[in-house]
Amino acid sequence: MSDIAAALHLDTILAHRRERTTAALTLLHPGHTPTPSNDEALPLAYALAHHRLEGAETAARGRDTTVLDWYRNTAERAFSRLIHPSRLGPRIVIAPQQDEMIHGLHSETPYYVLSADTTLASEPLTTLVDDAFAHITDAGLDGLVHEHAAVICLTGRRRPDQILRSFAITRLPATVFTDHTGDAAILGRDLVHEAAHNWLNDALATLQVTIPEDDTYFSPWRGTERPAFGFLHACFAFPLTLIYAARALPAASGPGHTVLADHARRQHTHLARAQDDFARALKLVTNDSLRERLETVFHRARSLPSETIA
Amino acid sequence: MTTTDTCGEFLAAVAKLRDDGTVRLTAHTSSVSADAWTAPDPDAQVTPATPTDSAS
């Protein structure tokens, strides 16, 4: 196991997500003991339990007992028909239209919850995701994406001159939302980035670590001062994308190669600028094991020789 | 049991289960090197992505 794979392997996350999945399913089906998922199926089971919980909660808030009942009694079977077997385990890949995204209570950013109306992404998009998984596997980050990107919501294809947006939300762990350009190597980068956010959210939850919001830190990615939570997330997710880019570059070609090389150069510069504030912010992480893991990832990316990312 | 009870009881149970009092959204935006593409991409959506609340 590489140093990065070891840093990302946190047994307590697995125990935490097993426990949370069982709790969600028990709440949805009182009196029914859910069948425990095996290690390969657990990430998707964890993601789907949270989609069902979120959908059921929204239905209950709207006093819609029909939809509430669907999420409790029918969703499991309905969602199982959406599952796509992949090299990283069972996944659900969707690509909803912009008007299907919902404006929830929790975020200004529209997001998506699996429902009775959900359909699969087209075959070319599913193939694109499979190809992205191949790049991720080659880069040695398949464990991260296997565990933290079980539902992949493609939020739109963008032209090269447009901005790519991606996000993750704590209410839907193991789900990632991302735009794409049609290039698998670039999509691989963004899946790694969002899976990293989900990893850190799970780690903070399972280790019961709270990041104080009092101080701010200069984020070279934003060019502004940011609270510690967002800054530390950036200092974890971007280094992993740099590691991904450096490892994926030799096999990438065409636009993907150009974009990843440009990304790697920029991240190298940003990490150098973030280093002092990262050291300061890291002191807020009270759990020794988590602090060491964040430090390992940051410094591993920081230490990549510039010739490997050129 | 009334409709209100079914929904209300479910919401009460969910509230007890939730341990993530603050819902966090971690988002980022990135631009792609335009010169990486030599030809227009006909399949891309024309609607620009919206930068949003974010963490990274």
Side-chain angles (χ1 to χ4, degrees), chain A residues 33 50 63 71 73 92 128 141 175 182 186 220-221 239 302:
Chain A
T33 306
H50 284 83
R63 305 291 169 199
Y71 276 105
N73 298 309
I92 288 180
L128 177 71
L141 292 168
T175 292
I186 300 170
W221 297 278
R302 203 48 200 101

Side-chain angles (χ1 to χ4, degrees), chain A residues 20 23 27 54 57 63 109 157-160 162-164 166-168 170-171 193 197 222 226 229-230 262, chain B residues 7-8 10 13 17-18 20 24 26-30 32-33 37 41 44-47 49 52-56:
Chain A
R20 300 296 296 173
L27 192 154
E54 189 69 14
E57 184 180 356
R63 305 291 169 199
T109 301
R157 181 167 180 165
R158 308 295 171 203
R159 294 189 315 254
Q162 291 180 305
I163 289 173
L164 292 176
S166 65
F167 61 93
T170 51
R171 274 292 169 90
H193 186 110
H197 285 311
R222 300 265 160 176
R226 309 221 46 223
F229 179 84
D262 181 57
Chain B
C7 293
F10 181 77
L17 179 74
R18 300 276 193 210
D20 55 354
R24 311 297 291 256
T26 47
H28 95 289
T29 57
S30 60
V32 175
S33 313
W37 272 261
D41 184 346
Q45 293 176 6
V46 293
T47 310
T52 56
D53 45 333
S54 55
S56 60

Side-chain angles (χ1 to χ4, degrees), chain A residues 56-235:
Chain A
E57 184 180 356
T58 302
R61 286 193 194 287
R63 305 291 169 199
D64 188 335
T65 52
T66 303
V67 174
L68 172 59
D69 183 65
W70 187 87
Y71 276 105
R72 298 182 91 160
N73 298 309
T74 310
E76 184 175 16
R77 278 194 312 279
F79 292 164
S80 70
R81 290 194 283 271
L82 302 173
I83 295 173
H84 163 66
S86 81
R87 66 165 64 208
L88 298 189
R91 308 282 98 163
I92 288 180
V93 181
I94 53 173
Q97 298 296 310
Q98 211 157 21
D99 60 6
E100 294 179 277
M101 304 290 277
I102 60 170
H103 294 78
L105 293 170
H106 317 301
S107 146
E108 292 174 18
T109 301
Y111 60 102
Y112 187 84
V113 177
L114 295 171
S115 74
D117 298 325
T118 300
T119 55
L120 290 171
S122 66
E123 196 175 327
L125 287 179
T126 305
T127 301
L128 177 71
V129 170
D130 283 338
D131 291 346
F133 287 165
H135 287 287
I136 290 164
T137 302
D138 290 346
L141 292 168
D142 45 318
L144 172 71
V145 174
H146 161 68
E147 289 184 14
H148 298 278
V151 174
I152 294 169
C153 181
L154 299 173
T155 45
R157 181 167 180 165
R158 308 295 171 203
R159 294 189 315 254
D161 59 326
Q162 291 180 305
I163 289 173
L164 292 176
R165 175 195 59 175
S166 65
F167 61 93
I169 185 167
T170 51
R171 274 292 169 90
L172 296 173
T175 292
V176 302
F177 298 84
T178 183
D179 291 343
H180 69 94
T181 62
D183 186 287
I186 300 170
L187 177 60
R189 175 198 65 179
D190 296 330
L191 293 178
V192 165
H193 186 110
E194 297 311 320
H197 285 311
N198 281 336
W199 186 97
L200 185 51
N201 285 331
D202 269 5
L204 292 170
T206 191
L207 299 170
Q208 298 183 307
V209 173
T210 304
I211 307 292
E213 294 286 328
D214 307 339
D215 293 335
T216 59
Y217 303 84
F218 181 75
S219 167
W221 297 278
R222 300 265 160 176
T224 186
E225 293 283 323
R226 309 221 46 223
F229 179 84
F231 179 72
L232 285 168
H233 259 278
C235 288

Side-chain angles (χ1 to χ4, degrees), chain A residues 242 263-272 301-302 304 306 309:
Chain A
L242 172 53
H263 177 77
R265 276 191 296 271
R266 275 195 254 178
Q267 296 315 313
H268 208 252
T269 305
H270 288 338
L271 294 187
R302 203 48 200 101
L304 282 170
S306 55
I309 58 177

